[in-house]
Amino acid sequence: MLSFNKFRLLLLVGVWLVIGTLSLSARDINVRGTITSVEGEPLYRVSIYNAGTNKLVGVTNEDGRYLVKIDSEGELLFTSLGYEEKKVAVRGELTIDVILDPSSIALEEVIVSAKKITDNVIPEPTDIEVKGNYFHIKTRVKIPRELFSTNARMIIQPGIYNVSKGKMIFLNPLVFDGKEYAITQERMYDYNSAQDPLSKYVQIKSTSSRRDDLVGYNDSTYVENPNDDFRCDMMVAMENYNRVLYRDTFVIARGVVNPLRFLKYEIPGSMVKNEKFFPQPEMQLRDTQGDVNLTFPVNKSVLDLNAGNNRAEMEALITRLRQVENDPNARLKSFSIAGTASPEGNYAKNKQLAKARMSSAMSFIMKELNESTRNQIELATDASVESWDRVVALLRADGKAEEADAIQAIIDKYPNDPNRQSINVVRLPFYRPMITTQYLPQLRRVSYELLFSQYRYLTDEEIVALYRNRSSELSRNELWRLYSGADSIDEREAICRRALEIYPKFLVAATDLASILIEKGTPDTELLLPYLDMKELPDETRLNQVLAWLSAGRYVQADSLASYLPDEGVYHKARVYAAALNGRYEEVIQEISAESPFNEVLMLLAIKANDQAWEKAKLLGNSPKENYIKAVAANRVDEVVKALSYLEKAFKDDPSLRDIASIDGDLLDLLQEED
């Protein structure tokens, strides 16, 4: 029998000639992870150093994630302003997540106080004119001379009341001081009129005239959604130094004059098309298994590479080990080896033989691994003796039932005595050569199992399976691939929403979700707001936000943002309609009028070209909205009978238009006549 040392030498020389040698030095690996605060928030721009060389090797992205290359035996240092730095030994790990503690430096407490003085405001009987999100009030206020005296102050406070939301918006007040009242005020404030909060609104200081005073008023205010129901109130109060002498409130306007509420345009939302904003593919860490089987001659622990498939199996094993060791995205986690002997002969000696086979093979394999891998790998060994039950199973699989029954009978007679089983099986007439040559060699083997972790790109099938069970493990790119290929709009929406739950700063997912919601007719004005201040932004993000704001009546914001869009294609159209709805009629009236006769009439009404609007309106069709706009145009030129007729037709065909008319400053007087 060959000695163990001779066996090892022969085996090493054979494999060395076939496949070469593996590097024994330490290796660089790619390490990934996420850096968070103690509250679980991802930390952006954390600096990551190789602690051994003090060289910056990477920083975290907006999701707190990083990827660095470092020696598998190295050490990483994580630093960020406001947090304690932390060192972590790599020890061959491919994933290292870190929680940074806040810095122990105490910050000085800062108390900020603010003072805001809100002065009441309000106007009189007129129309509420709308341009974009601004309501304009123009009126005149008659001040009866009987109400005014030289030692009194009169305050006229106009305001726009949002009936839909129950909210008042005050405009600038008018303040009239009598001569004596003004002098007293100056003395009381020690001639520092700035101390009087109403001083900047005082327009007239005089005694009362013999005639009523007629004072003009002109002001405007911003409103959130011009399509709500509004009225304009005017509050009037007169006071002296001690008490309020007079107080009253008038409704001076009801409804809003806004013909562009019916402006027709179709601008679809858009998903991101610029590839530079697409999330890049990321490798995922996955465990992979492999196994190798080697066979041995009877009663021998020496491996013969020329026997059976031993050489090919060993080459495959060493090649796989080399691939794992040379792949910076892979790590060998465990290596297990099992030595097995066939059951003939003494059981204890067979067990020792199995251990010898296992030990010699393990020693050889370990020599082929570099030192760093040997220090990091988890090893497992097992030695066993196959039972005669295994031989019975092999015989039955080959259709040899009679022989299988004969061995099974011996097993049943001596169930707990493998040595007696072996003695009696050897005496069976078919034992040689059938059992010794065909079946026992299959039981003499050494098997290996490799378990290694590897970062790789997932297949579409793996992405779908992971989304169903552990969606939080998917990368941005994988979620993007998933919703881009989804069959239904509802499925795309659900995946986008889940992507934003996992990655709240996922710009492409937010933009694409905004496009989906626009397509469904449910745009979200808040969804894209966190991204608008980013230095680089897809045009589609701004477009979708413009469309969302337009749908919500936020015309000023929409027009301002639209100015950043390219002046071409669908972006140009968004710019044009945002300008129109924001009151910049003259700039875009020709382009919008060219799109349809209906829009032309609306634009003419908006610029108060009422005679032209009426002539054009008469050429419109007879849809409910067209008849409604005909009524508006007719009423503007005092064709009241025709206006009532058109309005009646509109209400008959579409009763919902009555609700709009009830807040339409162009038709409120007509509704009263209809009633």
Side-chain angles (χ1 to χ4, degrees), residues 563-628:
S563 65
Y564 292 95
L565 294 175
D567 198 16
E568 58 186 26
V570 68
Y571 303 114
H572 173 75
K573 190 171 184 179
R575 289 169 60 124
V576 166
Y577 279 91
L581 290 166
N582 193 34
R584 296 194 289 124
Y585 308 135
E586 289 77 8
E587 300 175 34
V588 295
I589 186 170
Q590 290 187 344
E591 192 167 349
I592 291 180
S593 296
E595 289 209 346
S596 73
F598 184 77
N599 279 357
E600 183 180 12
V601 173
L602 297 180
M603 293 301 295
L604 289 170
L605 289 171
I607 65 173
K608 291 186 169 49
N610 296 329
D611 292 332
Q612 290 177 265
W614 168 234
E615 293 302 319
K616 296 283 186 179
K618 288 186 285 188
L619 303 176
L620 295 177
N622 291 305
S623 71
K625 287 184 179 178
E626 287 173 311
N627 279 325
Y628 184 101

Side-chain angles (χ1 to χ4, degrees), residues 26-29 31 49-53 70-77 87-93 96 372 376:
R27 65 197 184 106
D28 285 344
I29 61 174
V31 178
Y49 294 86
N50 182 327
T53 62
I70 191 171
D71 188 289
S72 62
E73 297 294 329
E75 190 174 31
L76 292 172
L77 172 65
K87 286 184 180 181
V88 180
V90 176
R91 297 191 179 94
E93 295 292 338
I96 297 177
S372 176
Q376 297 162 11

Side-chain angles (χ1 to χ4, degrees), residues 22 37 128 162 183 200 204 302 350 375 441 546 605 622 626:
L22 294 173
S37 66
I128 302 175
N162 187 323
I183 294 173
K200 63 181 178 179
I204 299 174
V302 177
N350 287 338
N375 293 336
V546 167
L605 289 171
N622 291 305
E626 287 173 311

